[in-house]
Amino acid sequence: MQVSLNWLNEYVDLQGLKPEDIGAAFTAIGLEVEGIDKQSAFTGDVLVGKVLTASRHPNADTLQLCSVDVGKEVPLNIVCGAPNARAGLHVVVATVGATLPGDFKIKKSKIRGELSEGMLCSEKELNLSESHDGIIELKGEPVLGSDAAAALGIGDTVLSLNVTPNRADCLGMIGLARDLAAKLKRTLKEPQTGDLRRDAKLHTENHLKINVSDAQGCLRFVGLYIDGVATVPAPAWMQKRLTAAGLRPINLLVDATNYAMLEYSQPIHAYDARNVGGGVLEVRDAREGETLVTLDGQTRLLQVGDLLICDDKGPIGLAGIMGGASSEIRPDTSAILIEVAAFAGSRIRRTSKRLGLRSEASYRFERGVDVDNLATVAWRVAQLIADGLSSGSGATGSTASPRVAADLVDVYPAEVSKKVIAVRVSHTKQVLGLSSLTRSDVIDALTSLEFELLDGTDDRLVFEVPFFRGDIEREIDLVEEIGRLRGFDKIPYQLPVMNIKPTPEDPFISFQESARTAMAALGLRETVSFPFVSLRDIEALRLTPEHAYFPKLTLANPLSDQHRHMQTSLVPGLLRAVYDNRRRSEFGTRLFECGRGYFNFGADKSSLEPAFKGLARPGRHYSPRAKAEAERPSERQWLAAVLDQPYQEKTWQTPSVNTSFYHGKATLLGLLRDFGLADMAQWAVINPEHYPFLHPGAAASVTLNGKLAGFVGELHPASAAALDLLTAEGAPVIIEVDLEILFDAQSKAQRSAVSVKRFPAITRDIAFLLPKHKTHADVLAAVKGFKRKQNLTGCELFDVYTGDKLPAGMKSMAYRFAFQSPDRTLTDQEVEPELEALTSSLNQSLEASQR
Amino acid sequence: MTDSSAPEPSAKDPSATALPTRASALAVAFDKELAVVRDSRSAAAVDELRVGYLGRKGKVTALLEDLRHCTKEERPAAGRSINELKQHVEAAIQQLKSEAQEWELSTRLHAEPLDISLPVTASVPQGSLHPVTLIRRELLTEFRRLGFTVFDGPEVDYDFYNFSALNMPSDHPARDMQDTFYLREQENLLLRTHTSNIQIHCMLNERPPLRIVAPGRVFRVDSDPTHTPMFHQIEAFVVDRGVTFAHMKGVIDAFMKAVFGSSMKTRLRPSFFPFVEPGAELDLQCVQCQGKGCRLCKQTGWLEVGGCGMIHPNVFEAVDYDSEIYSGFAFGFGIDRMAMLKYKLDDLRQLFEGNHSFLGHFPLFT
């Protein structure tokens, strides 16, 4: 809301206040001032002063020495050449430091040997007129030292106010003035329409029939007939104020409705009476498929629920939002019907949102209007029009002689009564923590805001709520009014004394933070990305709609196609980041992210089994009530990482290293190890159908306690190509784990330390020649199955070789076996038989031999 | 010993009587050479010195040979003086030899010093945490110290938890304050617009007294340098008997002082949030100018960081708490905004771009 202080001054006396003070007062009562725009021809202090004495200049006949009181302790000495300067005159004083139009700076100076501390201004010097006959003579008793611009009614300051949606009344100057007057303890001055001349023979009811068919949509409808009008421009002062408020002046008839709207926060519509068929204004619900051409020339398709204004032929306006083109004010309009109505906010809001059609009117109706004030507003519009037509608009050639009807038509289907709310003084003190508050403080605050005290006999004060305060619904709202007016800065700082019973915290919250630290310690950088994905991302990952990872939640109003779906995995976001980094020539990106995958399984949670066993469990952090909501989507807590190519750029120390599956495995294993889960992890080759975006020969899934915990693998070359991520080195390696599975496994894990081994180990290296399809896991299983184990404690792979020198279909794997006793140093003789037995056992079970 | 100005005895001089004198002179000569060798710090020179005196043709050896020409009477004295000389030379050379080992080690160590300025590749590259994580941890640490429990809640939620239970019925214009992402699949399903939905989940779960802090991601239809469709909020609330607005001021002030230092000042201005009444905007003294007024705070000396208020009785009633018995307050602010203030960032969007080098700039411990 743009608030002109000149205009506001009509309703509350702002004398003696700087714009900054007014701004601070508004902000202090919850009407936040976001900007102060001073529109002035001069800067610095140009003040109201009073000439105390005026005497002849000793050295110049045409000059006078004046002593001028500008409200300060010591009067100023000013040399003045104007003939009308005399003692007792109220004048405009440009003081030292001020700058007048034409970049004229006022300085302390000596004029013919006499000191002059400023200048008494003429109209010309302030750019008000060409008059340079003498200095300005201010009328009345203006406050000495106040801003002369205000006293002259020139210049203006416009405050930008942020009016919160609860304060419908503050979308009008009078509402704002009322709050400000209450804060500043000044008087509110509302416009008076008593002197409006009405035509006793002219009756609105002869020109207008109002028919409210939808009483839910229209609480009250007031109409007023005026004829003998003309579409002349509005007076300059009105145009100025509308412009200051951000509205474009059009003509007097339209401007008067806008002006009154800005005064009372009550939208008003003026119809050309000629074009209201049958003189009928009907308010009714729209029918499906009806259309209306609104003032902006757009054809609007309507539906049930939209509130219409119709004449005897059909729709002529979208109630409370925008009028129709057919009955708008035209250059030759001579008779008008003024509509001042109270429409239901929710109806206006729904239609306005659906059509994307917002107007000053709809904005105010959505927030609510004063159902009791419609007649006042109608008369005010009539007054503005009548005054506007008679006050010199005749200059434009109009010979209009307006006739305002003697009465209104007022249709009020179901009278609304004022709310009555009690507020306890004790409760107010308690809620605000303001022990010093008294009964009379409460009464004074609320009555200054026009709440009427009905019963004030005990602690419980009963107030009637004015109609314009639709936001006041219960006691707490009155408490707020009291606190707001008093000022939150008057409430003390206090620390509560409380029961220290702590609410238990879900340990998963700290677990997740630990996982982040672990990943950072493993050399990855944490990123956060938007959890939205596009179909292109999904297609690149080769996911089909049947797949569990195919997005199941879609935004109805996404910012763009790229943000259309909710992610089920963090992988697309990480791959996007890799792509963006590469475009900036940054390779070798290593990122991780903790975030959520959003799934919507509905009641059928079996669709994922067995591949995504456990995925459909309800997520964490829900109340029991939320968990019982069968259709509620679930959110999985993922941790994902990406290792781009290369793993290591060539340096002076090391050769370049390409990122491989094994680097990803090392990272994932590192994470599992940090939580003590590495030993229980079960690794398996992936099923390519479950993970179509992974390289089938370079990926693994990991299972903890029989539950699928995640995967690690190279991005499928086809996916990498689709995402423009395929390079000669290969594709990035990705990891994703379900942190809840890790958390569960960790909380169930048994911990026991192994004692320090005090005797040396004997090691033996053995290279096995074995069929290519045998894996390291096979070897470990065979070692585990070795029955004659005595002192064998370790088995480390140290070499893998495949090549031409080996028989076809074979590979070589070399292991270092360790033998150690907890109670003595072993001898070679003790170890040899066990090693021999081990070797032959392995040879047999692995179809192996020694090279 | 002897006068050093004595003439150097000739080795050819067979006069045995001159032997003690010759030995003394040789000792003097040796000490001179010894000093030269020591200065040279050369192992080879040490060896040369040794051969020159103690070798088969060495000067001490020559004296010993001349002993043959002595008379029986002269021999004991001559022998003693030569022997003294020999021991002196042997000991000195022995000492020099061990010194020479040190010289050699030292030379070797200094021969090719490393270029310590060469860049190195760590065996594990430097990882980092996201600035939002770092700030969140800092804030949570202070909240936990004040006895708050961390609570989390769903990001995809129903209208009830995000709006209607928070005193924002449908068609209420206050909903325009938060432009909401809706989901197609179910009616009333949305992305939470604030962390206040956690108030509802928590209060449906627990009974007072409550001191809860709820950080999380929230979503609004918005995108420009200071707004992103997803951002982070943190919200704290307290519910108990007799909780007052003055308590809210006290806790907010204590919290902000704990985070920003004891000179931090806070200010509350009346405002409107449907789920609190009275509601207020929460201002911090400008962190850049300490309240003096600067570009960051638009010369006001204050930064608007969040909102707060006394929990609205309608909210308590939505979760079946008796609003006559319990009262409470809530306050919340943006974590990203805190991160931007702390790290002096001007564009919010860069927090969510995944730029590898940008993300590497935040040390693990701040």
Side-chain angles (χ1 to χ4, degrees):
Chain A
M1 178 95 182
Q2 301 296 107
V3 179
S4 147
L5 293 187
N6 281 352
W7 190 357
L8 189 67
N9 191 50
E10 299 264 311
Y11 315 111
V12 57
D13 187 357
L14 299 178
Q15 259 204 26
L17 294 171
K18 292 210 175 80
E20 288 74 15
D21 301 336
I22 298 167
F26 271 129
T27 296
I29 51 174
L31 294 158
E32 187 187 359
V33 172
E34 292 180 321
I36 298 181
D37 182 14
K38 290 187 191 175
Q39 303 164 345
S40 174
F42 46 81
T43 60
D45 282 344
V46 178
L47 308 173
V48 172
K50 185 180 182 183
V51 180
L52 299 176
T53 61
S55 56
R56 272 267 300 277
H57 190 292
N59 304 324
D61 288 347
T62 55
L63 297 180
Q64 295 191 78
L65 297 182
C66 302
S67 171
V68 185
D69 181 356
V70 288
K72 305 218 169 74
E73 273 182 33
V74 185
L76 299 177
N77 294 314
I78 294 173
V79 176
C80 179
N84 62 332
R86 59 185 184 278
L89 194 66
H90 283 96
V91 292
V92 175
V93 186
T95 60
V96 172
T99 306
L100 300 187
D103 201 25
F104 179 26
K105 292 192 174 67
I106 305 297
K107 296 178 194 139
K108 193 182 259 194
S109 60
K110 282 218 163 148
I111 299 173
R112 298 237 180 149
E114 291 297 325
L115 180 71
S116 184
E117 301 170 299
M119 188 176 86
L120 307 184
C121 303
S122 69
E123 291 197 352
K124 186 173 181 191
E125 280 151 352
L126 294 180
N127 229 357
L128 299 178
S129 74
E130 286 305 302
S131 164
H132 200 38
D133 300 339
I135 53 171
I136 297 168
E137 301 189 13
L138 292 169
K139 305 280 181 292
E141 285 291 325
V143 176
L144 300 185
S146 67
D147 187 5
L152 289 165
I154 58 158
D156 196 2
T157 298
V158 177
L159 304 184
S160 296
L161 255 69
N162 178 12
V163 178
T164 52
N166 56 324
R167 292 307 300 274
D169 59 319
C170 288
L171 294 172
M173 301 296 287
I174 294 169
L176 289 169
R178 182 182 295 114
D179 260 38
L180 187 65
K183 174 72 182 172
L184 299 175
K185 298 191 167 34
R186 296 190 178 197
T187 318
L188 177 69
K189 300 175 288 182
E190 290 195 53
Q192 299 301 321
T193 54
D195 60 348
L196 174 67
R197 280 180 47 208
R198 307 182 195 172
D199 190 325
K201 282 178 241 144
L202 191 64
H203 297 287
T204 301
E205 62 184 18
N206 295 338
H207 299 270
L208 173 64
K209 228 179 102 54
I210 294 170
N211 183 3
V212 176
S213 311
D214 187 337
Q216 257 80 54
C218 178
L219 307 180
R220 191 171 190 178
F221 196 120
V222 165
L224 174 63
Y225 178 77
I226 309 175
D227 66 13
V229 297
T231 52
V232 296
W237 61 267
M238 190 187 288
Q239 294 197 26
K240 232 174 172 174
R241 287 178 177 181
L242 289 175
T243 308
L247 263 58
R248 194 166 52 87
I250 296 165
N251 60 53
L252 174 65
L253 305 182
V254 175
D255 292 354
T257 62
N258 282 335
Y259 190 88
M261 172 184 76
L262 290 175
E263 283 187 311
Y264 290 100
S265 189
Q266 166 65 54
I268 300 142
H269 191 71
Y271 299 87
D272 186 328
R274 284 178 301 183
N275 296 322
V276 174
V280 173
L281 289 178
E282 182 190 8
V283 188
R284 68 161 169 84
D285 196 2
R287 301 184 190 106
E288 211 61 42
E290 272 185 296
T291 58
L292 170 72
V293 180
T294 40
L295 271 173
D296 54 8
Q298 304 274 319
T299 303
R300 308 285 175 175
L301 180 63
L302 307 172
Q303 65 183 43
V304 172
D306 297 337
L307 207 55
L308 287 181
I309 309 292
C310 305
D311 64 5
D312 66 351
K313 292 188 271 309
I316 60 167
L318 207 46
I321 302 174
M322 195 173 273
S326 64
S327 58
E328 69 177 313
I329 303 296
R330 290 165 201 253
D332 60 346
T333 297
S334 63
I336 57 172
L337 288 166
I338 304 288
E339 164 202 302
V340 188
F343 299 115
S346 60
R347 295 280 290 277
I348 303 299
R349 179 177 161 82
R350 246 172 283 164
T351 299
S352 146
K353 275 201 99 161
R354 196 191 80 244
L355 296 176
L357 184 57
R358 290 280 166 106
S359 64
E360 293 281 343
S362 71
Y363 191 70
R364 287 176 173 77
F365 278 123
E366 279 183 31
R367 283 156 177 73
V369 295
D370 180 351
V371 72
D372 204 34
N373 200 40
L374 307 186
T376 309
V377 174
W379 293 123
R380 176 64 173 161
V381 175
Q383 182 187 40
L384 290 168
I385 291 174
D387 289 355
L389 284 171
S390 58
S391 72
S393 290
T396 59
S398 151
T399 54
S401 50
R403 293 196 306 152
V404 177
D407 43 30
L408 306 157
V409 175
D410 183 355
V411 177
Y412 196 2
E415 197 167 322
V416 184
S417 54
K418 284 189 183 164
K419 278 174 272 189
V420 172
I421 298 175
V423 61
R424 291 161 289 175
V425 178
S426 56
H427 186 67
T428 308
K429 290 164 74 163
Q430 156 64 30
V431 170
L432 296 177
L434 251 183
S435 50
S436 61
L437 196 76
T438 64
R439 263 174 72 82
S440 60
D441 289 339
V442 171
I443 294 171
D444 289 351
L446 291 176
T447 48
S448 74
L449 291 168
E450 295 182 28
F451 289 80
E452 196 186 333
L453 181 64
L454 299 182
D455 178 5
T457 47
D458 56 10
D459 183 52
R460 209 167 150 275
L461 306 174
V462 181
F463 284 92
E464 192 175 59
V465 181
F467 276 117
F468 53 78
R469 292 303 303 272
D471 58 313
I472 304 294
E473 279 167 350
R474 52 189 295 176
E475 183 179 20
I476 191 70
D477 299 319
L478 295 180
V479 172
E480 198 265 346
E481 293 299 298
I482 296 155
R484 180 172 75 92
L485 265 198
R486 171 157 284 240
F488 288 171
D489 53 331
K490 302 286 190 305
I491 297 176
Y493 293 90
Q494 256 171 28
L495 284 173
V497 176
M498 294 187 70
N499 180 334
I500 65 159
K501 184 205 98 174
T503 307
E505 186 168 305
D506 181 350
F508 180 78
I509 289 168
S510 294
F511 178 85
Q512 203 172 22
E513 290 294 347
S514 303
R516 287 185 165 101
T517 308
M519 291 304 280
L522 287 164
L524 287 89
R525 299 179 184 179
E526 188 188 10
T527 186
V528 175
S529 29
F530 301 148
F532 311 118
V533 291
S534 69
L535 267 189
R536 194 184 153 268
D537 294 329
I538 299 313
E539 279 161 11
L541 295 182
R542 301 154 32 95
L543 294 166
T544 53
E546 306 77 50
H547 195 277
Y549 273 141
F550 195 86
K552 302 299 192 297
L553 289 167
T554 312
L555 293 178
N557 51 340
L559 277 171
S560 69
D561 274 347
Q562 281 156 343
H563 288 178
R564 188 168 293 280
H565 305 278
M566 296 306 291
Q567 70 188 15
T568 52
S569 157
L570 305 177
V571 167
L574 290 175
L575 293 177
R576 253 190 328 263
V578 169
Y579 175 81
D580 289 341
N581 278 300
R582 283 194 187 177
R583 282 209 322 180
R584 290 184 293 260
S585 304
E586 183 150 5
F587 289 80
T589 296
R590 289 181 208 184
L591 297 174
F592 79 95
E593 180 169 11
C594 274
R596 301 186 187 186
Y598 307 86
F599 295 88
N600 183 32
F601 305 115
D604 177 22
K605 297 188 178 6
S606 63
S607 59
L608 302 168
E609 308 287 350
F612 293 91
K613 213 170 150 100
L615 206 60
R617 289 172 300 138
R620 299 193 86 82
H621 319 312
Y622 299 152
S623 59
R625 172 184 164 137
K627 277 188 178 150
E629 291 160 343
E631 300 289 318
R632 177 182 272 277
S634 58
E635 295 170 20
R636 311 304 309 154
Q637 306 280 337
W638 298 135
L639 183 153
V642 65
L643 305 174
D644 187 22
Q645 295 291 353
Y647 188 75
Q648 171 71 64
E649 301 252 22
K650 187 199 169 314
T651 71
W652 65 272
Q653 255 180 322
T654 50
S656 78
V657 179
N658 291 348
T659 306
S660 76
F661 162 81
Y662 296 108
H663 293 117
K665 183 178 174 183
T667 303
L668 177 49
L669 202 57
L671 177 70
L672 295 174
R673 199 170 278 141
D674 282 338
F675 288 114
L677 301 172
D679 292 343
M680 66 160 76
Q682 299 285 314
W683 301 82
V685 172
I686 56 152
N687 178 342
E689 278 180 29
H690 297 162
Y691 299 104
F693 49 87
L694 293 179
H695 189 311
S701 67
V702 64
T703 306
L704 295 168
N705 291 336
K707 287 189 178 134
L708 185 66
F711 64 80
V712 50
E714 204 175 298
L715 187 63
H716 195 289
S719 295
L723 294 166
D724 205 3
L725 289 175
L726 198 60
T727 58
E729 292 92 356
V733 169
I734 50 181
I735 300 167
E736 187 160 60
V737 291
D738 186 329
L739 280 185
E740 289 185 54
I741 303 279
L742 263 63
F743 173 72
D744 291 344
Q746 194 217 19
S747 39
K748 285 185 200 125
Q750 304 285 325
R751 305 257 171 263
S752 59
V754 178
S755 305
V756 173
K757 295 196 175 86
R758 302 196 179 278
F759 297 92
I762 290 180
T763 59
R764 289 289 183 273
D765 295 351
I766 309 275
F768 294 91
L769 190 64
L770 68 180
K772 267 189 175 162
H773 67 266
K774 293 290 182 189
T775 65
H776 174 62
D778 293 337
V779 176
L780 293 185
V783 170
K784 207 174 174 191
F786 171 52
K787 298 226 167 48
R788 291 166 59 193
K789 186 173 141 185
Q790 286 173 304
N791 294 311
L792 179 67
T793 53
C795 164
E796 297 285 338
L797 174 73
F798 68 88
D799 190 39
V800 179
Y801 176 73
T802 53
D804 301 341
K805 290 178 185 147
L806 299 179
M810 302 297 272
K811 64 177 169 183
S812 164
M813 294 176 90
Y815 287 85
R816 172 161 300 166
F817 296 104
F819 300 87
Q820 201 169 6
S821 160
D823 48 22
R824 67 188 194 287
T825 302
L826 293 178
T827 63
D828 289 354
Q829 287 77 4
E830 280 179 283
V831 168
E832 288 313 324
E834 190 177 349
L835 179 68
E836 226 162 88
L838 173 66
T839 312
S840 69
S841 159
L842 294 184
N843 284 348
Q844 200 178 0
S845 55
L846 296 165
E847 301 160 49
S849 60
Q850 275 63 56
R851 279 169 78 193
Chain B
M1 285 230 264
T2 48
D3 184 357
S4 64
S5 64
E8 172 128 351
S10 163
K12 301 259 161 76
D13 184 0
S15 166
T17 53
L19 271 179
T21 319
R22 283 172 59 203
S24 310
L26 197 55
V28 172
F30 174 77
D31 285 348
K32 268 191 189 159
E33 272 189 71
L34 178 73
V36 173
V37 169
R38 182 167 269 143
D39 284 347
S40 77
R41 297 172 67 85
S42 154
V46 174
D47 213 43
E48 239 169 70
L49 186 68
R50 183 186 60 80
V51 173
Y53 284 81
L54 301 173
R56 256 186 330 121
K57 293 178 178 166
K59 293 168 185 165
V60 178
T61 319
L63 280 188
L64 279 170
E65 275 172 13
D66 284 349
L67 205 58
R68 285 180 296 158
H69 308 294
C70 289
T71 62
K72 212 174 186 174
E73 294 73 29
E74 287 168 344
R75 193 164 289 174
R80 204 163 43 243
S81 67
I82 295 172
N83 217 24
E84 270 172 22
L85 170 68
K86 193 182 174 196
Q87 279 173 11
H88 170 66
V89 170
E90 276 176 352
I93 285 180
Q94 195 54 46
Q95 162 72 23
L96 215 52
K97 268 185 172 171
S98 69
E99 280 177 35
Q101 275 177 9
E102 276 172 38
W103 301 338
E104 204 216 355
L105 178 65
S106 162
T107 312
R108 199 150 35 86
L109 294 185
H110 287 92
E112 274 184 59
L114 297 182
D115 175 356
I116 58 155
S117 69
L118 282 179
V120 291
T121 321
S123 57
V124 174
Q126 188 70 45
S128 62
L129 292 172
H130 195 272
V132 168
T133 295
L134 295 170
I135 301 282
R136 183 185 56 240
R137 288 184 176 184
E138 211 178 313
L139 298 173
L140 290 186
T141 301
E142 291 308 332
F143 274 118
R144 286 191 175 111
R145 271 161 43 83
L146 288 170
F148 284 76
T149 294
V150 187
F151 230 80
D152 202 349
E155 293 171 3
V156 175
D157 213 345
Y158 289 112
D159 184 291
F160 170 79
Y161 300 92
N162 192 76
F163 286 131
S164 22
L166 288 163
N167 197 30
M168 270 185 275
S170 53
D171 289 327
H172 194 287
R175 290 199 175 190
D176 287 351
M177 293 164 87
Q178 303 177 358
D179 218 343
T180 311
F181 284 114
Y182 287 93
L183 294 159
R184 283 191 191 290
E185 284 70 16
Q186 293 178 39
E187 213 180 326
N188 296 326
L189 197 62
L190 47 79
L191 301 187
R192 70 174 176 204
T193 57
H194 46 200
T195 43
S196 305
N197 67 328
I198 299 172
Q199 282 184 31
I200 304 303
H201 284 282
C202 177
M203 289 195 279
L204 285 169
N205 236 9
E206 312 283 340
R207 298 295 305 169
L210 294 176
R211 284 187 305 284
I212 304 295
V213 56
R217 300 207 252 189
V218 302
F219 304 87
R220 292 187 198 171
V221 187
D222 221 343
S223 188
D224 66 44
T226 52
H227 296 90
T228 47
M230 178 205 80
F231 57 102
H232 298 83
Q233 278 187 343
I234 189 163
E235 162 158 341
F237 59 97
V238 170
V239 181
D240 201 352
R241 292 164 195 264
V243 176
T244 73
F245 195 96
H247 292 150
M248 175 170 79
K249 279 186 76 171
V251 169
I252 289 176
D253 200 63
F255 176 77
M256 292 302 177
K257 281 184 162 66
V259 173
F260 290 98
S262 55
S263 62
M264 174 50 73
K265 291 188 175 67
T266 55
R267 178 177 82 170
L268 304 187
R269 283 181 288 113
S271 190
F272 171 70
F273 305 99
F275 37 98
V276 288
E277 185 80 319
E281 298 271 7
L282 164 55
D283 293 348
L284 286 189
Q285 190 181 63
C286 180
V287 293
Q288 196 154 296
C289 63
Q290 278 76 46
K292 289 190 267 297
C294 67
R295 221 169 59 99
L296 179 66
C297 60
K298 293 178 193 143
Q299 309 304 331
T300 62
W302 296 94
L303 295 173
E304 186 178 320
V305 294
C308 61
M310 302 300 292
I311 296 174
H312 199 291
N314 289 355
V315 175
F316 283 140
E317 282 149 27
V319 295
D320 246 346
Y321 280 16
D322 188 336
S323 63
E324 277 297 303
I325 297 176
Y326 294 111
S327 59
F329 63 80
F331 67 101
F333 48 91
I335 300 179
D336 316 88
R337 173 125 169 90
M338 291 280 172
M340 288 178 75
L341 288 177
K342 172 145 185 173
Y343 297 108
K344 301 193 167 37
L345 306 174
D346 51 2
D347 189 338
L348 177 63
R349 291 173 295 196
Q350 59 193 336
L351 289 177
F352 309 119
E353 280 173 358
N355 185 315
H356 196 245
S357 42
F358 172 80
L359 294 171
H361 286 145
F362 303 95
L364 271 184
F365 307 104
T366 51

